[in-house]
Amino acid sequence: MVNLMSGDSFHPPVRTLMGPGPSDMNPRVLAAMGRPIIGHLDPAFVGMMDQMKVLLQYAFQTENELTLPVSAPGSAGMETCFVNLVEPGDKVVVCINGVFGQRMKENVERCGATPVVVEDDWGQPVDAQKLDSTLAAHPDARLVAFVHAETSTGACSDVKTLTQVAHAHDCLVIVDSVTGLGGSELRVDDWGVDAIYSGTQKCLSCTPGLSPVSFGPRAVERIQSRKHKVQSWFLDLNLIMGYWGSGGGKRAYHHTAPINALYALHEALVLLHEEGLENAWARHRHHHEALKAGLEAMGLALLVEEPHRLPQLNAVKVPEGVDEAAVRTRLLQRYGLEIGAGLGPLAGRIWRIGLMGFACNAKNVRLCLHALESVLTEMGAPVERGAALPAAERIYGVTA
Amino acid sequence: MVNLMSGDSFHPPVRTLMGPGPSDMNPRVLAAMGRPIIGHLDPAFVGMMDQMKVLLQYAFQTENELTLPVSAPGSAGMETCFVNLVEPGDKVVVCINGVFGQRMKENVERCGATPVVVEDDWGQPVDAQKLDSTLAAHPDARLVAFVHAETSTGACSDVKTLTQVAHAHDCLVIVDSVTGLGGSELRVDDWGVDAIYSGTQKCLSCTPGLSPVSFGPRAVERIQSRKHKVQSWFLDLNLIMGYWGSGGGKRAYHHTAPINALYALHEALVLLHEEGLENAWARHRHHHEALKAGLEAMGLALLVEEPHRLPQLNAVKVPEGVDEAAVRTRLLQRYGLEIGAGLGPLAGRIWRIGLMGFACNAKNVRLCLHALESVLTEMGAPVERGAALPAAERIYGVTA
């Protein structure tokens, strides 16, 4: 029975978020979100939206006019791409190497289209050769969908090459970069990406509930020449563009934007711009090196092979005989530290340790290595004691 | 050209929000939103979700197990009802007496179903007789959809009677109460409502971006016996129930909930519970009486007839010859006061003055009457001077 006494405000416990997202938010972003609300058609708000678009274009490295945050979480950003670009009867090649590729396939089916699957093992990147031969066998395919940064495994796929392969077969691409944006190299224009969606609660360290998307000229053309109405009214870009002003001219009411969350995203993007995108990518790489050094010194192994590892999402193999859920519970209860579990076939076999955005820092690397070593030792797991922190400190240049 | 100098944080101007929503947020709700983020599967967060469900059940006056906030704005709540309850080929009776009835019709069409329209003039409530004869002429209809509180006109329809009519013809109902919840009498269980959606930025005075919904047993049965998959993955209640725990048992990840916005909604619902739902309804009625007395003393007329007026959304006729947009601009620039414009056929003909949730108070009524009288007088409109505030004060019992 839930107690509903007056005054039962919710005060969240203090946590350190090193799971697959959300990540800890910078106090500046939290403060932005708590600022008083103004109207979604207020001239001051519209000015903020204009600036937001430029900041998002910077984060995506694109000049795409149709670049905006969808007013709902990453899953809705995914659906925005599919319902606008896929028509009933289309054939869509979907590359699956984890949970989010599977979800893309679900989206294709629910659009009344036919998915053709290119499958790779979980933990592997998408194989460009396989994509190429699949496309050769299906010359009527119109779209290719794949995940840049697989949040369920920590594998990074080669967006540039996969996009080239798709284009060579006259297909547009839809790219999932929910966990990529702000954490790993991503160049929408240079790489020719046609449509991309992301999330705000990963390497942007903003509140969840928004999904930045960007559409290139060929994608916009395809949307504008659709034969069928978009099946979702809420996610119909023809209507959303009217509010975000991508057609120029007066902004028309479509839905009420999540105003305070947009304040927060604006501030998170200002922070990214202050740091510099390439500096942010390098920071993720640097702390990943320290974490990896510590984990390996402890005797733990990463799931993904070296060249394909995402620095911001580290899938760590659970040692034989260890109850992975009990480890996570103890980390949370004693250290306030959240790390993630495995999903699907990797449930029980990996932990997912995030180093995302504001949460990607040396203090968190140190806390995580110390806490994990303590808990694993306590539970009798075969870990090397006292080696993890010194190994990480060597990466940080601390050799004392 | 947008300037992107480092440090360009966004600081919203101070406004008083008396439009059709969003409404001003209580500082307690703003503070809740700015609290540090925790994981969406954290035991502390799950406990908050359990409490949220009970608070929402209280606000809706229902014991429906399937009561939760959809992770997107009211338009997505609308779409949640339609994509889950409508199947391709269904016939759905949609009552249209404003913008949101039209949007419901769009939803029906995009679900591959056939809408049958019952039309009433904008500003009128939905006519139960017309609904009854339409249903008699379409015995194969399975659903009736109508708006409780039409945000575009300020008209309140009789949910109880319309639901009885629908049930007599063996139809379920979908009710839009985006602007109703927390501001006007609404009793989901007593009135037999099968499915309902609302918004958070109206009479709950929370941040926009969430849509509370509730589904009764017959609606749940219909969802569970669907022949076709729900066309939206993001809004598929079969999947969302797994996260919100409506089936009991362990919570499964579906999408990342908008955590901070949920903190805010929780606090807004705690505030509603502290005040008491019936007290909140009475407060909306009371300040509406004062506003109405002032407006009428000034010589302005309301669009909607007395018995059908929503206290929280006052549609005021623009006097002949007055440039309504110029009035709104001056109110915003000089007084920081936002009121709303008319939509569709009412554009240019009405203002929409909201008295919603936290913004429904005597201070705002006084500001609005004073500011509107000043601006209209200045612009040469034929208003009675010096009468509005005393008329409002008589309602407040101030007769000095």
Side-chain angles (χ1 to χ4, degrees):
Chain A
M1 185 54 201
V2 176
N3 181 13
L4 272 188
M5 284 194 358
S6 147
D8 270 358
S9 295
F10 178 65
H11 292 275
V14 176
R15 303 292 197 214
T16 297
L17 300 187
M18 298 182 73
S23 58
D24 291 319
M25 291 163 68
N26 188 305
R28 273 176 55 183
V29 178
L30 286 170
M33 198 160 39
R35 291 192 185 119
I37 191 162
I38 62 175
H40 56 288
L41 296 167
D42 193 298
F45 190 72
V46 168
M48 190 277 274
M49 289 165 71
D50 286 338
Q51 207 178 50
M52 170 94 77
K53 185 187 291 188
V54 177
L55 287 161
L56 276 180
Q57 285 171 331
Y58 170 72
F60 276 124
Q61 292 288 288
T62 184
E63 294 182 3
N64 286 341
E65 178 62 20
L66 186 50
T67 301
L68 55 85
V70 170
S71 302
S75 310
M78 177 190 290
E79 200 158 312
T80 301
C81 290
F82 285 92
V83 297
N84 282 279
L85 287 171
V86 177
E87 299 213 52
D90 279 359
K91 190 178 269 190
V92 180
V93 174
V94 181
C95 306
I96 301 183
N97 63 337
V99 165
F100 296 93
Q102 288 185 321
R103 191 172 294 185
M104 286 174 146
K105 176 168 172 275
E106 272 281 340
N107 269 268
V108 170
E109 288 165 352
R110 292 181 192 226
C111 290
T114 306
V116 176
V117 171
V118 174
E119 205 145 12
D120 283 292
D121 286 344
W122 288 39
Q124 293 293 323
V126 174
D127 184 328
Q129 294 288 350
K130 266 196 247 178
L131 174 61
D132 190 49
S133 52
T134 304
L135 285 168
H138 295 276
D140 53 338
R142 305 183 72 216
L143 260 176
V144 172
F146 60 86
V147 178
H148 170 213
E150 225 334 316
T151 319
S152 63
T153 68
C156 184
S157 289
D158 181 348
V159 174
K160 188 178 175 182
T161 302
L162 295 170
T163 302
Q164 281 168 349
V165 170
H167 287 176
H169 292 273
D170 234 14
C171 286
L172 303 190
V173 297
I174 293 177
V175 178
D176 175 325
S177 192
V178 169
T179 288
L181 186 67
S184 291
E185 188 181 10
L186 174 63
R187 302 181 187 277
V188 166
D189 283 1
D190 285 357
W191 296 351
V193 171
D194 301 294
I196 190 164
Y197 59 90
S198 186
T200 48
Q201 79 280 16
K202 311 281 185 180
C203 297
L204 299 181
S205 289
C206 180
T207 194
L210 293 168
S211 178
V213 297
S214 184
F215 294 82
R218 281 177 302 188
V220 171
E221 201 187 301
R222 191 168 290 183
I223 293 169
Q224 287 171 341
S225 62
R226 286 179 65 90
K227 293 185 200 74
H228 304 80
K229 262 196 185 175
V230 173
Q231 68 192 36
S232 168
W233 186 91
F234 174 57
L235 300 175
D236 186 342
L237 283 167
N238 295 295
L239 305 175
I240 293 173
M241 282 186 239
Y243 176 56
W244 277 89
S246 292
K250 196 168 168 292
R251 284 163 199 270
Y253 162 67
H254 174 254
H255 65 274
T256 305
I259 296 163
N260 303 75
L262 289 168
Y263 293 168
L265 178 57
H266 182 275
E267 187 68 18
L269 291 168
V270 166
L271 281 161
L272 181 65
H273 188 259
E274 284 179 15
E275 179 176 18
L277 192 54
E278 283 168 13
N279 293 335
W281 298 340
R283 173 170 53 83
H284 282 88
R285 175 65 51 193
H286 182 54
H287 295 296
H288 158 77
E289 293 297 340
L291 179 70
K292 182 189 67 174
L295 291 169
E296 288 177 349
M298 214 188 293
L300 297 174
L302 296 180
L303 174 75
V304 177
E305 293 304 307
E306 177 68 48
H308 312 299
R309 280 178 198 153
L310 288 168
Q312 63 270 43
L313 199 285
N314 298 272
V316 181
K317 292 185 187 168
V318 177
E320 203 68 39
V322 169
D323 175 353
E324 74 81 21
V327 171
R328 285 187 294 111
T329 299
R330 208 168 290 185
L331 289 174
L332 192 70
Q333 286 175 350
R334 190 183 300 160
Y335 301 93
L337 174 64
E338 178 178 284
I339 67 171
L343 297 174
L346 294 174
R349 293 178 45 210
I350 60 165
W351 291 297
R352 291 181 295 157
I353 303 181
L355 282 171
M356 297 182 178
F358 181 64
C360 178
N361 60 57
K363 178 178 165 187
N364 283 0
V365 168
R366 289 168 177 136
L367 168 69
C368 179
L369 290 172
H370 166 66
L372 198 56
E373 181 183 307
S374 301
V375 169
L376 285 174
T377 303
E378 201 174 80
M379 292 174 72
V383 292
E384 186 71 24
R385 298 187 67 169
L389 276 169
E393 296 296 6
R394 275 192 293 276
I395 301 292
Y396 290 134
V398 182
T399 49
Chain B
M1 185 54 201
V2 176
N3 180 14
L4 272 188
M5 285 192 356
S6 146
D8 269 357
S9 295
F10 178 66
H11 291 275
V14 176
R15 302 293 196 212
T16 297
L17 300 186
M18 297 180 74
S23 57
D24 292 318
M25 290 163 68
N26 188 306
R28 273 176 56 183
V29 177
L30 286 170
M33 199 160 39
R35 291 194 184 118
I37 191 163
I38 62 175
H40 55 288
L41 295 169
D42 193 297
F45 190 72
V46 168
M48 191 276 272
M49 289 165 70
D50 285 338
Q51 205 176 52
M52 169 95 78
K53 184 186 292 188
V54 177
L55 287 161
L56 276 179
Q57 286 171 329
Y58 171 70
F60 277 125
Q61 292 288 287
T62 184
E63 293 182 4
N64 286 340
E65 180 61 21
L66 186 49
T67 301
L68 55 86
V70 170
S71 301
S75 310
M78 179 189 288
E79 201 157 312
T80 301
C81 289
F82 284 92
V83 297
N84 282 280
L85 286 172
V86 177
E87 299 212 50
D90 279 358
K91 189 178 272 189
V92 180
V93 175
V94 181
C95 306
I96 301 183
N97 62 336
V99 165
F100 296 92
Q102 288 184 323
R103 191 172 294 184
M104 284 174 146
K105 176 168 171 275
E106 272 283 340
N107 269 269
V108 170
E109 287 164 354
R110 292 180 192 227
C111 290
T114 306
V116 176
V117 171
V118 174
E119 206 146 9
D120 282 290
D121 286 346
W122 289 39
Q124 293 293 322
V126 174
D127 184 328
Q129 293 288 349
K130 266 195 247 178
L131 173 62
D132 190 48
S133 52
T134 304
L135 285 168
H138 295 276
D140 52 338
R142 302 184 75 218
L143 259 176
V144 172
F146 60 86
V147 178
H148 169 213
E150 233 320 329
T151 320
S152 64
T153 68
C156 184
S157 289
D158 181 347
V159 175
K160 187 179 175 182
T161 302
L162 295 170
T163 301
Q164 281 168 350
V165 170
H167 287 175
H169 292 273
D170 235 15
C171 287
L172 302 190
V173 297
I174 294 177
V175 178
D176 175 326
S177 192
V178 169
T179 289
L181 186 68
S184 292
E185 188 180 12
L186 174 65
R187 301 180 188 276
V188 167
D189 283 1
D190 285 356
W191 296 350
V193 170
D194 301 296
I196 190 164
Y197 59 91
S198 187
T200 47
Q201 78 280 16
K202 311 281 185 177
C203 298
L204 299 181
S205 288
C206 180
T207 194
L210 294 168
S211 178
V213 297
S214 184
F215 294 82
R218 280 176 304 187
V220 171
E221 201 187 300
R222 191 170 289 184
I223 294 169
Q224 287 171 342
S225 62
R226 284 180 65 90
K227 292 186 200 73
H228 304 80
K229 261 195 187 179
V230 173
Q231 69 192 34
S232 168
W233 187 90
F234 174 57
L235 301 175
D236 186 341
L237 283 168
N238 295 296
L239 304 175
I240 293 172
M241 281 186 240
Y243 176 56
W244 277 90
S246 293
K250 199 168 165 291
R251 283 162 199 272
Y253 162 66
H254 173 253
H255 65 275
T256 304
I259 295 163
N260 302 76
L262 289 169
Y263 293 170
L265 178 57
H266 182 274
E267 188 68 18
L269 291 168
V270 166
L271 280 161
L272 181 65
H273 188 259
E274 283 178 14
E275 179 177 19
L277 192 54
E278 284 169 12
N279 293 335
W281 297 340
R283 173 169 55 82
H284 283 87
R285 176 63 53 191
H286 182 53
H287 295 295
H288 159 76
E289 292 297 339
L291 179 70
K292 182 189 67 175
L295 291 169
E296 288 178 347
M298 212 188 293
L300 297 174
L302 296 181
L303 174 74
V304 178
E305 294 304 309
E306 177 69 47
H308 312 300
R309 280 178 197 153
L310 287 168
Q312 63 271 44
L313 199 284
N314 298 272
V316 181
K317 292 183 187 169
V318 177
E320 204 69 39
V322 170
D323 176 353
E324 74 80 21
V327 171
R328 285 186 295 111
T329 299
R330 207 166 292 184
L331 289 174
L332 191 70
Q333 286 175 350
R334 190 182 299 160
Y335 301 92
L337 174 64
E338 178 177 284
I339 67 170
L343 297 174
L346 295 174
R349 294 179 45 211
I350 60 163
W351 292 298
R352 290 181 296 156
I353 303 182
L355 282 171
M356 296 181 177
F358 182 63
C360 178
N361 60 57
K363 180 178 165 186
N364 283 1
V365 168
R366 288 168 178 136
L367 168 70
C368 179
L369 290 172
H370 165 67
L372 197 57
E373 182 184 306
S374 302
V375 169
L376 285 174
T377 302
E378 200 173 82
M379 293 175 71
V383 292
E384 186 71 23
R385 299 186 65 171
L389 276 170
E393 297 296 5
R394 275 191 293 277
I395 302 291
Y396 290 135
V398 181
T399 50

